[in-house]
mmCIF file of all heavy atoms in Angstrom:
data_model
loop_
_atom_site.group_PDB
_atom_site.id
_atom_site.type_symbol
_atom_site.label_atom_id
_atom_site.label_comp_id
_atom_site.label_asym_id
_atom_site.label_seq_id
_atom_site.Cartn_x
_atom_site.Cartn_y
_atom_site.Cartn_z
ATOM 1 N N THR S 130 -24.104 -29.146 125.638
ATOM 2 C CA THR S 130 -24.969 -29.545 124.535
ATOM 3 C C THR S 130 -25.729 -30.794 124.963
ATOM 4 O O THR S 130 -25.463 -31.356 126.034
ATOM 5 C CB THR S 130 -24.151 -29.788 123.250
ATOM 6 O OG1 THR S 130 -25.040 -29.981 122.160
ATOM 7 C CG2 THR S 130 -23.231 -30.975 123.371
ATOM 8 N N THR S 131 -26.643 -31.222 124.147
ATOM 9 C CA THR S 131 -27.404 -32.438 124.466
ATOM 10 C C THR S 131 -26.566 -33.666 124.133
ATOM 11 O O THR S 131 -25.645 -33.599 123.303
ATOM 12 C CB THR S 131 -28.699 -32.502 123.646
ATOM 13 O OG1 THR S 131 -28.357 -32.620 122.256
ATOM 14 C CG2 THR S 131 -29.562 -31.272 123.866
ATOM 15 N N PRO S 132 -26.880 -34.796 124.739
ATOM 16 C CA PRO S 132 -26.171 -36.032 124.379
ATOM 17 C C PRO S 132 -26.315 -36.362 122.890
ATOM 18 O O PRO S 132 -25.360 -36.818 122.261
ATOM 19 C CB PRO S 132 -26.842 -37.099 125.244
ATOM 20 C CG PRO S 132 -27.380 -36.353 126.418
ATOM 21 C CD PRO S 132 -27.796 -35.008 125.871
ATOM 22 N N GLN S 133 -27.485 -36.081 122.325
ATOM 23 C CA GLN S 133 -27.710 -36.367 120.903
ATOM 24 C C GLN S 133 -26.824 -35.484 120.021
ATOM 25 O O GLN S 133 -26.251 -35.952 119.039
ATOM 26 C CB GLN S 133 -29.187 -36.157 120.532
ATOM 27 C CG GLN S 133 -30.142 -37.092 121.220
ATOM 28 C CD GLN S 133 -30.566 -36.622 122.603
ATOM 29 O OE1 GLN S 133 -30.157 -35.577 123.102
ATOM 30 N NE2 GLN S 133 -31.377 -37.431 123.264
ATOM 31 N N ASN S 134 -26.720 -34.200 120.373
ATOM 32 C CA ASN S 134 -25.892 -33.281 119.602
ATOM 33 C C ASN S 134 -24.420 -33.663 119.723
ATOM 34 O O ASN S 134 -23.675 -33.638 118.735
ATOM 35 C CB ASN S 134 -26.127 -31.840 120.049
ATOM 36 C CG ASN S 134 -25.587 -30.832 119.065
ATOM 37 O OD1 ASN S 134 -25.490 -31.092 117.874
ATOM 38 N ND2 ASN S 134 -25.224 -29.671 119.568
ATOM 39 N N LYS S 135 -23.989 -34.028 120.923
ATOM 40 C CA LYS S 135 -22.603 -34.442 121.121
ATOM 41 C C LYS S 135 -22.297 -35.667 120.267
ATOM 42 O O LYS S 135 -21.246 -35.736 119.615
ATOM 43 C CB LYS S 135 -22.342 -34.750 122.599
ATOM 44 C CG LYS S 135 -20.918 -35.176 122.874
ATOM 45 C CD LYS S 135 -20.704 -35.492 124.342
ATOM 46 C CE LYS S 135 -19.262 -35.962 124.556
ATOM 47 N NZ LYS S 135 -19.048 -36.386 125.943
ATOM 48 N N ALA S 136 -23.214 -36.632 120.254
ATOM 49 C CA ALA S 136 -23.012 -37.841 119.454
ATOM 50 C C ALA S 136 -22.963 -37.513 117.965
ATOM 51 O O ALA S 136 -22.154 -38.081 117.219
ATOM 52 C CB ALA S 136 -24.118 -38.854 119.747
ATOM 53 N N ALA S 137 -23.811 -36.589 117.521
ATOM 54 C CA ALA S 137 -23.827 -36.205 116.112
ATOM 55 C C ALA S 137 -22.514 -35.528 115.721
ATOM 56 O O ALA S 137 -21.954 -35.810 114.661
ATOM 57 C CB ALA S 137 -25.009 -35.277 115.832
ATOM 58 N N ILE S 138 -22.013 -34.655 116.581
ATOM 59 C CA ILE S 138 -20.736 -33.983 116.306
ATOM 60 C C ILE S 138 -19.612 -35.013 116.262
ATOM 61 O O ILE S 138 -18.768 -35.000 115.360
ATOM 62 C CB ILE S 138 -20.452 -32.885 117.360
ATOM 63 C CG1 ILE S 138 -21.460 -31.738 117.217
ATOM 64 C CG2 ILE S 138 -19.015 -32.367 117.245
ATOM 65 C CD1 ILE S 138 -21.438 -30.741 118.367
ATOM 66 N N ALA S 139 -19.601 -35.923 117.216
ATOM 67 C CA ALA S 139 -18.562 -36.954 117.255
ATOM 68 C C ALA S 139 -18.624 -37.838 116.007
ATOM 69 O O ALA S 139 -17.587 -38.200 115.444
ATOM 70 C CB ALA S 139 -18.707 -37.795 118.519
ATOM 71 N N ALA S 140 -19.834 -38.161 115.562
ATOM 72 C CA ALA S 140 -19.988 -38.996 114.364
ATOM 73 C C ALA S 140 -19.483 -38.272 113.123
ATOM 74 O O ALA S 140 -18.824 -38.873 112.268
ATOM 75 C CB ALA S 140 -21.457 -39.397 114.200
ATOM 76 N N ARG S 141 -19.794 -36.983 113.020
ATOM 77 C CA ARG S 141 -19.315 -36.205 111.867
ATOM 78 C C ARG S 141 -17.789 -36.127 111.862
ATOM 79 O O ARG S 141 -17.151 -36.240 110.819
ATOM 80 C CB ARG S 141 -19.927 -34.815 111.882
ATOM 81 C CG ARG S 141 -21.406 -34.805 111.596
ATOM 82 C CD ARG S 141 -21.946 -33.385 111.590
ATOM 83 N NE ARG S 141 -23.394 -33.420 111.597
ATOM 84 C CZ ARG S 141 -24.150 -32.705 112.424
ATOM 85 N NH1 ARG S 141 -23.599 -31.873 113.280
ATOM 86 N NH2 ARG S 141 -25.462 -32.801 112.374
ATOM 87 N N ALA S 142 -17.211 -35.925 113.043
ATOM 88 C CA ALA S 142 -15.754 -35.858 113.143
ATOM 89 C C ALA S 142 -15.137 -37.209 112.770
ATOM 90 O O ALA S 142 -14.180 -37.263 111.990
ATOM 91 C CB ALA S 142 -15.346 -35.462 114.561
ATOM 92 N N ALA S 143 -15.686 -38.280 113.290
ATOM 93 C CA ALA S 143 -15.169 -39.624 112.998
ATOM 94 C C ALA S 143 -15.266 -39.940 111.508
ATOM 95 O O ALA S 143 -14.351 -40.542 110.934
ATOM 96 C CB ALA S 143 -15.923 -40.662 113.818
ATOM 97 N N ALA S 144 -16.357 -39.515 110.879
ATOM 98 C CA ALA S 144 -16.527 -39.769 109.447
ATOM 99 C C ALA S 144 -15.446 -39.075 108.635
ATOM 100 O O ALA S 144 -15.108 -39.523 107.533
ATOM 101 C CB ALA S 144 -17.915 -39.307 108.993
ATOM 102 N N ARG S 145 -14.887 -37.991 109.179
ATOM 103 C CA ARG S 145 -13.824 -37.258 108.486
ATOM 104 C C ARG S 145 -12.431 -37.679 108.959
ATOM 105 O O ARG S 145 -11.429 -37.164 108.490
ATOM 106 C CB ARG S 145 -14.024 -35.753 108.692
ATOM 107 C CG ARG S 145 -15.219 -35.231 107.907
ATOM 108 C CD ARG S 145 -15.681 -33.879 108.431
ATOM 109 N NE ARG S 145 -16.779 -33.351 107.654
ATOM 110 C CZ ARG S 145 -18.049 -33.724 107.777
ATOM 111 N NH1 ARG S 145 -18.378 -34.656 108.645
ATOM 112 N NH2 ARG S 145 -18.999 -33.174 107.041
ATOM 113 N N GLY S 146 -12.412 -38.590 109.945
ATOM 114 C CA GLY S 146 -11.129 -39.072 110.450
ATOM 115 C C GLY S 146 -10.383 -38.054 111.289
ATOM 116 O O GLY S 146 -9.154 -38.060 111.330
ATOM 117 N N ILE S 147 -11.134 -37.161 111.964
ATOM 118 C CA ILE S 147 -10.501 -36.138 112.802
ATOM 119 C C ILE S 147 -11.146 -36.148 114.185
ATOM 120 O O ILE S 147 -12.213 -36.727 114.389
ATOM 121 C CB ILE S 147 -10.619 -34.719 112.170
ATOM 122 C CG1 ILE S 147 -12.085 -34.344 111.938
ATOM 123 C CG2 ILE S 147 -9.820 -34.647 110.873
ATOM 124 C CD1 ILE S 147 -12.293 -32.930 111.401
ATOM 125 N N SER S 148 -10.483 -35.498 115.113
ATOM 126 C CA SER S 148 -11.023 -35.428 116.471
ATOM 127 C C SER S 148 -12.225 -34.477 116.512
ATOM 128 O O SER S 148 -12.401 -33.641 115.623
ATOM 129 C CB SER S 148 -9.953 -34.933 117.444
ATOM 130 O OG SER S 148 -9.673 -33.561 117.200
ATOM 131 N N THR S 149 -12.987 -34.613 117.582
ATOM 132 C CA THR S 149 -14.126 -33.710 117.766
ATOM 133 C C THR S 149 -13.652 -32.263 117.878
ATOM 134 O O THR S 149 -14.238 -31.360 117.290
ATOM 135 C CB THR S 149 -14.924 -34.106 119.026
ATOM 136 O OG1 THR S 149 -15.366 -35.457 118.874
ATOM 137 C CG2 THR S 149 -16.123 -33.212 119.239
ATOM 138 N N GLY S 150 -12.575 -32.048 118.603
ATOM 139 C CA GLY S 150 -12.027 -30.691 118.744
ATOM 140 C C GLY S 150 -11.597 -30.110 117.401
ATOM 141 O O GLY S 150 -11.883 -28.944 117.107
ATOM 142 N N GLU S 151 -10.924 -30.934 116.588
ATOM 143 C CA GLU S 151 -10.490 -30.453 115.275
ATOM 144 C C GLU S 151 -11.697 -30.167 114.395
ATOM 145 O O GLU S 151 -11.712 -29.178 113.651
ATOM 146 C CB GLU S 151 -9.575 -31.482 114.601
ATOM 147 C CG GLU S 151 -9.079 -31.051 113.234
ATOM 148 C CD GLU S 151 -8.223 -29.779 113.249
ATOM 149 O OE1 GLU S 151 -7.672 -29.413 114.308
ATOM 150 O OE2 GLU S 151 -8.119 -29.148 112.186
ATOM 151 N N TYR S 152 -12.714 -31.000 114.472
ATOM 152 C CA TYR S 152 -13.931 -30.773 113.686
ATOM 153 C C TYR S 152 -14.555 -29.425 114.054
ATOM 154 O O TYR S 152 -14.897 -28.638 113.177
ATOM 155 C CB TYR S 152 -14.925 -31.915 113.927
ATOM 156 C CG TYR S 152 -16.256 -31.718 113.255
ATOM 157 C CD1 TYR S 152 -16.407 -31.963 111.898
ATOM 158 C CD2 TYR S 152 -17.360 -31.257 113.967
ATOM 159 C CE1 TYR S 152 -17.627 -31.772 111.267
ATOM 160 C CE2 TYR S 152 -18.577 -31.065 113.347
ATOM 161 C CZ TYR S 152 -18.709 -31.326 111.993
ATOM 162 O OH TYR S 152 -19.919 -31.125 111.375
ATOM 163 N N ILE S 153 -14.674 -29.164 115.336
ATOM 164 C CA ILE S 153 -15.275 -27.903 115.794
ATOM 165 C C ILE S 153 -14.403 -26.719 115.389
ATOM 166 O O ILE S 153 -14.912 -25.700 114.919
ATOM 167 C CB ILE S 153 -15.526 -27.938 117.313
ATOM 168 C CG1 ILE S 153 -16.642 -28.952 117.612
ATOM 169 C CG2 ILE S 153 -15.896 -26.554 117.841
ATOM 170 C CD1 ILE S 153 -16.848 -29.244 119.074
ATOM 171 N N ARG S 154 -13.069 -26.847 115.529
ATOM 172 C CA ARG S 154 -12.169 -25.758 115.106
ATOM 173 C C ARG S 154 -12.365 -25.446 113.629
ATOM 174 O O ARG S 154 -12.451 -24.285 113.228
ATOM 175 C CB ARG S 154 -10.711 -26.126 115.377
ATOM 176 C CG ARG S 154 -10.258 -25.885 116.800
ATOM 177 C CD ARG S 154 -8.755 -26.064 116.965
ATOM 178 N NE ARG S 154 -8.339 -27.453 116.822
ATOM 179 C CZ ARG S 154 -8.422 -28.371 117.796
ATOM 180 N NH1 ARG S 154 -8.906 -28.031 118.976
ATOM 181 N NH2 ARG S 154 -8.024 -29.607 117.586
ATOM 182 N N ARG S 155 -12.455 -26.485 112.808
ATOM 183 C CA ARG S 155 -12.644 -26.261 111.370
ATOM 184 C C ARG S 155 -13.981 -25.603 111.075
ATOM 185 O O ARG S 155 -14.077 -24.722 110.212
ATOM 186 C CB ARG S 155 -12.540 -27.588 110.610
ATOM 187 C CG ARG S 155 -11.137 -28.135 110.562
ATOM 188 C CD ARG S 155 -11.079 -29.423 109.765
ATOM 189 N NE ARG S 155 -9.748 -29.999 109.799
ATOM 190 C CZ ARG S 155 -9.425 -31.105 109.146
ATOM 191 N NH1 ARG S 155 -10.321 -31.747 108.417
ATOM 192 N NH2 ARG S 155 -8.195 -31.587 109.222
ATOM 193 N N LYS S 156 -15.020 -26.027 111.775
ATOM 194 C CA LYS S 156 -16.334 -25.423 111.555
ATOM 195 C C LYS S 156 -16.326 -23.952 111.939
ATOM 196 O O LYS S 156 -16.896 -23.119 111.242
ATOM 197 C CB LYS S 156 -17.424 -26.173 112.342
ATOM 198 C CG LYS S 156 -17.825 -27.478 111.734
ATOM 199 C CD LYS S 156 -18.407 -27.224 110.365
ATOM 200 C CE LYS S 156 -18.958 -28.444 109.726
ATOM 201 N NZ LYS S 156 -19.491 -28.200 108.391
ATOM 202 N N VAL S 157 -15.688 -23.627 113.030
ATOM 203 C CA VAL S 157 -15.605 -22.224 113.460
ATOM 204 C C VAL S 157 -14.809 -21.424 112.441
ATOM 205 O O VAL S 157 -15.202 -20.322 112.047
ATOM 206 C CB VAL S 157 -14.982 -22.118 114.868
ATOM 207 C CG1 VAL S 157 -14.654 -20.673 115.203
ATOM 208 C CG2 VAL S 157 -15.934 -22.709 115.901
ATOM 209 N N ASP S 158 -13.690 -21.968 111.977
ATOM 210 C CA ASP S 158 -12.879 -21.274 110.975
ATOM 211 C C ASP S 158 -13.648 -21.089 109.677
ATOM 212 O O ASP S 158 -13.528 -20.062 109.014
ATOM 213 C CB ASP S 158 -11.585 -22.036 110.699
ATOM 214 C CG ASP S 158 -10.595 -21.939 111.856
ATOM 215 O OD1 ASP S 158 -10.781 -21.056 112.720
ATOM 216 O OD2 ASP S 158 -9.666 -22.762 111.896
ATOM 217 N N ASP S 159 -14.452 -22.084 109.282
ATOM 218 C CA ASP S 159 -15.243 -21.993 108.054
ATOM 219 C C ASP S 159 -16.258 -20.862 108.111
ATOM 220 O O ASP S 159 -16.590 -20.267 107.093
ATOM 221 C CB ASP S 159 -15.990 -23.304 107.776
ATOM 222 C CG ASP S 159 -15.057 -24.404 107.290
ATOM 223 O OD1 ASP S 159 -13.888 -24.108 106.969
ATOM 224 O OD2 ASP S 159 -15.514 -25.561 107.237
ATOM 225 N N GLU S 160 -16.754 -20.544 109.290
ATOM 226 C CA GLU S 160 -17.765 -19.490 109.439
ATOM 227 C C GLU S 160 -17.205 -18.126 109.051
ATOM 228 O O GLU S 160 -17.932 -17.244 108.648
ATOM 229 C CB GLU S 160 -18.294 -19.450 110.880
ATOM 230 C CG GLU S 160 -19.160 -20.619 111.252
ATOM 231 C CD GLU S 160 -20.459 -20.658 110.477
ATOM 232 O OE1 GLU S 160 -21.087 -19.609 110.274
ATOM 233 O OE2 GLU S 160 -20.852 -21.768 110.063
ATOM 234 N N ASP S 161 -15.899 -17.963 109.157
ATOM 235 C CA ASP S 161 -15.285 -16.671 108.861
ATOM 236 C C ASP S 161 -15.016 -16.468 107.378
ATOM 237 O O ASP S 161 -14.712 -15.364 106.952
ATOM 238 C CB ASP S 161 -13.965 -16.529 109.636
ATOM 239 C CG ASP S 161 -14.193 -16.471 111.146
ATOM 240 O OD1 ASP S 161 -15.300 -16.082 111.553
ATOM 241 O OD2 ASP S 161 -13.268 -16.826 111.891
ATOM 242 N N GLU S 162 -15.116 -17.523 106.585
ATOM 243 C CA GLU S 162 -14.785 -17.442 105.171
ATOM 244 C C GLU S 162 -15.992 -17.024 104.343
ATOM 245 O O GLU S 162 -17.118 -17.418 104.614
ATOM 246 C CB GLU S 162 -14.269 -18.792 104.672
ATOM 247 C CG GLU S 162 -12.954 -19.194 105.297
ATOM 248 C CD GLU S 162 -12.466 -20.539 104.779
ATOM 249 O OE1 GLU S 162 -12.962 -20.994 103.741
ATOM 250 O OE2 GLU S 162 -11.595 -21.111 105.432
ATOM 251 N N GLU S 163 -15.731 -16.226 103.345
ATOM 252 C CA GLU S 163 -16.767 -15.839 102.389
ATOM 253 C C GLU S 163 -16.988 -16.998 101.422
ATOM 254 O O GLU S 163 -16.056 -17.739 101.118
ATOM 255 C CB GLU S 163 -16.330 -14.590 101.618
ATOM 256 C CG GLU S 163 -16.231 -13.340 102.460
ATOM 257 C CD GLU S 163 -17.578 -12.897 102.985
ATOM 258 O OE1 GLU S 163 -18.568 -12.968 102.245
ATOM 259 O OE2 GLU S 163 -17.631 -12.470 104.151
ATOM 260 N N PRO S 164 -18.205 -17.156 100.925
ATOM 261 C CA PRO S 164 -18.436 -18.217 99.952
ATOM 262 C C PRO S 164 -17.624 -17.972 98.683
ATOM 263 O O PRO S 164 -17.411 -16.829 98.274
ATOM 264 C CB PRO S 164 -19.929 -18.133 99.655
ATOM 265 C CG PRO S 164 -20.496 -17.114 100.553
ATOM 266 C CD PRO S 164 -19.390 -16.412 101.243
ATOM 267 N N THR S 165 -17.213 -19.067 98.065
ATOM 268 C CA THR S 165 -16.473 -18.967 96.810
ATOM 269 C C THR S 165 -17.453 -18.583 95.707
ATOM 270 O O THR S 165 -18.676 -18.747 95.865
ATOM 271 C CB THR S 165 -15.813 -20.306 96.454
ATOM 272 O OG1 THR S 165 -16.849 -21.266 96.208
ATOM 273 C CG2 THR S 165 -14.892 -20.791 97.560
ATOM 274 N N PRO S 166 -16.963 -18.093 94.573
ATOM 275 C CA PRO S 166 -17.863 -17.790 93.452
ATOM 276 C C PRO S 166 -18.679 -19.022 93.029
ATOM 277 O O PRO S 166 -19.844 -18.900 92.665
ATOM 278 C CB PRO S 166 -16.916 -17.332 92.347
ATOM 279 C CG PRO S 166 -15.730 -16.786 93.063
ATOM 280 C CD PRO S 166 -15.585 -17.640 94.291
ATOM 281 N N GLU S 167 -18.052 -20.205 93.098
ATOM 282 C CA GLU S 167 -18.773 -21.426 92.749
ATOM 283 C C GLU S 167 -19.916 -21.689 93.724
ATOM 284 O O GLU S 167 -21.022 -22.074 93.326
ATOM 285 C CB GLU S 167 -17.813 -22.631 92.728
ATOM 286 C CG GLU S 167 -16.776 -22.583 91.630
ATOM 287 C CD GLU S 167 -15.565 -21.712 91.988
ATOM 288 O OE1 GLU S 167 -15.370 -21.361 93.162
ATOM 289 O OE2 GLU S 167 -14.829 -21.361 91.048
ATOM 290 N N GLU S 168 -19.649 -21.482 95.020
ATOM 291 C CA GLU S 168 -20.693 -21.671 96.028
ATOM 292 C C GLU S 168 -21.819 -20.646 95.841
ATOM 293 O O GLU S 168 -22.997 -20.977 95.977
ATOM 294 C CB GLU S 168 -20.098 -21.569 97.438
ATOM 295 C CG GLU S 168 -19.194 -22.730 97.793
ATOM 296 C CD GLU S 168 -18.420 -22.510 99.079
ATOM 297 O OE1 GLU S 168 -18.090 -21.342 99.419
ATOM 298 O OE2 GLU S 168 -18.126 -23.516 99.745
ATOM 299 N N GLU S 169 -21.432 -19.410 95.543
ATOM 300 C CA GLU S 169 -22.429 -18.362 95.293
ATOM 301 C C GLU S 169 -23.307 -18.732 94.101
ATOM 302 O O GLU S 169 -24.532 -18.576 94.150
ATOM 303 C CB GLU S 169 -21.738 -17.013 95.030
ATOM 304 C CG GLU S 169 -21.129 -16.378 96.242
ATOM 305 C CD GLU S 169 -22.143 -15.680 97.128
ATOM 306 O OE1 GLU S 169 -23.304 -15.500 96.715
ATOM 307 O OE2 GLU S 169 -21.752 -15.311 98.244
ATOM 308 N N ALA S 170 -22.682 -19.241 93.032
ATOM 309 C CA ALA S 170 -23.438 -19.634 91.841
ATOM 310 C C ALA S 170 -24.369 -20.796 92.153
ATOM 311 O O ALA S 170 -25.522 -20.828 91.702
ATOM 312 C CB ALA S 170 -22.477 -20.008 90.713
ATOM 313 N N GLU S 171 -23.890 -21.751 92.937
ATOM 314 C CA GLU S 171 -24.717 -22.896 93.313
ATOM 315 C C GLU S 171 -25.909 -22.457 94.155
ATOM 316 O O GLU S 171 -27.038 -22.897 93.939
ATOM 317 C CB GLU S 171 -23.875 -23.918 94.073
ATOM 318 C CG GLU S 171 -24.595 -25.215 94.359
ATOM 319 C CD GLU S 171 -23.704 -26.257 95.018
ATOM 320 O OE1 GLU S 171 -22.470 -26.106 95.024
ATOM 321 O OE2 GLU S 171 -24.278 -27.232 95.523
ATOM 322 N N LEU S 172 -25.655 -21.562 95.103
ATOM 323 C CA LEU S 172 -26.748 -21.042 95.926
ATOM 324 C C LEU S 172 -27.761 -20.270 95.084
ATOM 325 O O LEU S 172 -28.974 -20.409 95.278
ATOM 326 C CB LEU S 172 -26.193 -20.143 97.033
ATOM 327 C CG LEU S 172 -25.476 -20.859 98.163
ATOM 328 C CD1 LEU S 172 -24.795 -19.847 99.083
ATOM 329 C CD2 LEU S 172 -26.424 -21.737 98.954
ATOM 330 N N ALA S 173 -27.275 -19.467 94.141
ATOM 331 C CA ALA S 173 -28.181 -18.714 93.269
ATOM 332 C C ALA S 173 -29.034 -19.658 92.439
ATOM 333 O O ALA S 173 -30.244 -19.426 92.268
ATOM 334 C CB ALA S 173 -27.382 -17.785 92.359
ATOM 335 N N ALA S 174 -28.432 -20.747 91.955
ATOM 336 C CA ALA S 174 -29.195 -21.731 91.179
ATOM 337 C C ALA S 174 -30.249 -22.409 92.049
ATOM 338 O O ALA S 174 -31.386 -22.626 91.606
ATOM 339 C CB ALA S 174 -28.254 -22.771 90.575
ATOM 340 N N LEU S 175 -29.905 -22.708 93.286
ATOM 341 C CA LEU S 175 -30.870 -23.328 94.204
ATOM 342 C C LEU S 175 -32.025 -22.375 94.506
ATOM 343 O O LEU S 175 -33.189 -22.788 94.541
ATOM 344 C CB LEU S 175 -30.177 -23.756 95.495
ATOM 345 C CG LEU S 175 -29.234 -24.942 95.381
ATOM 346 C CD1 LEU S 175 -28.451 -25.135 96.672
ATOM 347 C CD2 LEU S 175 -30.000 -26.205 95.035
ATOM 348 N N VAL S 176 -31.699 -21.123 94.735
ATOM 349 C CA VAL S 176 -32.749 -20.129 95.000
ATOM 350 C C VAL S 176 -33.686 -20.021 93.803
ATOM 351 O O VAL S 176 -34.914 -19.974 93.959
ATOM 352 C CB VAL S 176 -32.128 -18.755 95.350
ATOM 353 C CG1 VAL S 176 -33.170 -17.652 95.331
ATOM 354 C CG2 VAL S 176 -31.433 -18.823 96.704
ATOM 355 N N GLU S 177 -33.126 -20.022 92.614
ATOM 356 C CA GLU S 177 -33.946 -19.955 91.405
ATOM 357 C C GLU S 177 -34.867 -21.170 91.301
ATOM 358 O O GLU S 177 -36.056 -21.036 90.991
ATOM 359 C CB GLU S 177 -33.043 -19.875 90.168
ATOM 360 C CG GLU S 177 -33.816 -19.675 88.875
ATOM 361 C CD GLU S 177 -32.891 -19.521 87.670
ATOM 362 O OE1 GLU S 177 -31.750 -19.093 87.835
ATOM 363 O OE2 GLU S 177 -33.359 -19.846 86.566
#
């Protein structure tokens, strides 16, 4: 990745108090989950 992207990922992980590896693992795991009904409703409201 680029140095800027690496720094951004590291900053996001640090802001959550987790390692960069844990941050990436969580992001990958999140991709497999379906949105919750609340998230779906929020997205529908935004689209509207």
Side-chain angles (χ1 to χ4, degrees):
T130 188
T131 65
Q133 296 85 0
N134 195 28
K135 180 181 178 185
I138 293 169
R141 291 181 192 131
R145 288 162 178 79
I147 58 176
S148 70
T149 301
E151 180 62 21
Y152 175 78
I153 291 171
R154 278 189 291 279
R155 289 182 184 182
K156 284 298 186 181
V157 169
D158 288 344
D159 286 349
E160 289 294 319
D161 294 336
E162 294 180 17
E163 293 294 320
T165 65
E167 293 82 15
E168 291 170 329
E169 288 281 349
E171 187 175 346
L172 287 172
L175 289 171
V176 168
E177 185 177 334

